[in-house]
Amino acid sequence: MTMTEEMMEAIEKDLVFLATANNEGIPNVVPIGFARPIDSQSILIADNYMNKTHKNIEENPHVSLVTKDAKMNPYQFKGTAEIFESGKFFDEVVEWAQNVMTKLNPKAAIVVKVTEIYSVQPGPEAGKKIE
């Protein structure tokens, strides 16, 4: 699934909300301030303070991310997440986070490969899968 420029801007512009579930299906949702597209099919997230979310992704890589920008069409992205504790993606989130706030020390980088996209705009189209 390919994200449009508008979708990618919605991710980078404001807080997003990341939903995970453990291997028993118990959900967890957290606000994320450090999320941005890598390309039209992947989202990079800095793991600065995650505990349950990190553990959930280790147990169950299926995630959902929702944008909140009401001026734009809010979106839900579903996909699979992978955790990187070293390497290119990890180095990128460390540099990114420390450029914003020098005291941040990310624990990991999370890369979400987007597999489905839905509109969550209120109204009759809410929940419609975007082809």
Side-chain angles (χ1 to χ4, degrees):
M1 180 77 318
T2 301
M3 296 183 287
T4 65
E5 287 296 321
E6 178 185 307
M7 292 171 185
M8 292 190 287
E9 186 179 324
I11 293 166
E12 201 161 1
K13 191 171 189 166
D14 205 342
L15 281 177
V16 297
F17 297 87
L18 181 65
T20 60
N22 66 15
N23 59 5
E24 296 172 13
I26 297 171
N28 185 58
V29 178
V30 294
I32 302 290
F34 284 88
R36 67 181 183 199
I38 297 172
D39 55 40
S40 64
Q41 298 177 332
S42 306
I43 301 166
L44 179 64
I45 298 169
D47 174 358
N48 293 307
Y49 302 110
M50 296 177 187
N51 292 307
K52 284 183 281 189
T53 299
H54 189 106
K55 186 173 186 306
N56 285 355
I57 292 170
E58 289 176 335
E59 293 179 8
N60 174 3
H62 300 283
V63 300
S64 182
L65 182 141
V66 173
T67 61
K68 76 169 204 144
D69 191 339
K71 293 180 187 89
M72 304 174 87
N73 184 7
Y75 296 100
Q76 178 190 58
F77 303 92
K78 292 187 180 192
T80 54
E82 187 174 352
I83 297 170
F84 295 88
E85 294 178 342
S86 63
K88 178 181 119 177
F89 295 123
F90 178 74
D91 294 343
E92 188 175 332
V93 297
V94 168
E95 182 180 341
W96 174 26
Q98 290 181 348
N99 280 340
V100 174
M101 192 183 304
T102 55
K103 292 181 181 175
L104 285 178
N105 286 307
K107 297 186 292 187
I110 296 169
V111 175
V112 176
K113 291 290 185 190
V114 176
T115 56
E116 297 176 77
I117 302 172
Y118 295 85
S119 171
V120 290
Q121 182 75 25
E125 299 294 306
K128 181 179 180 191
K129 186 175 184 178
I130 297 172
E131 299 303 322

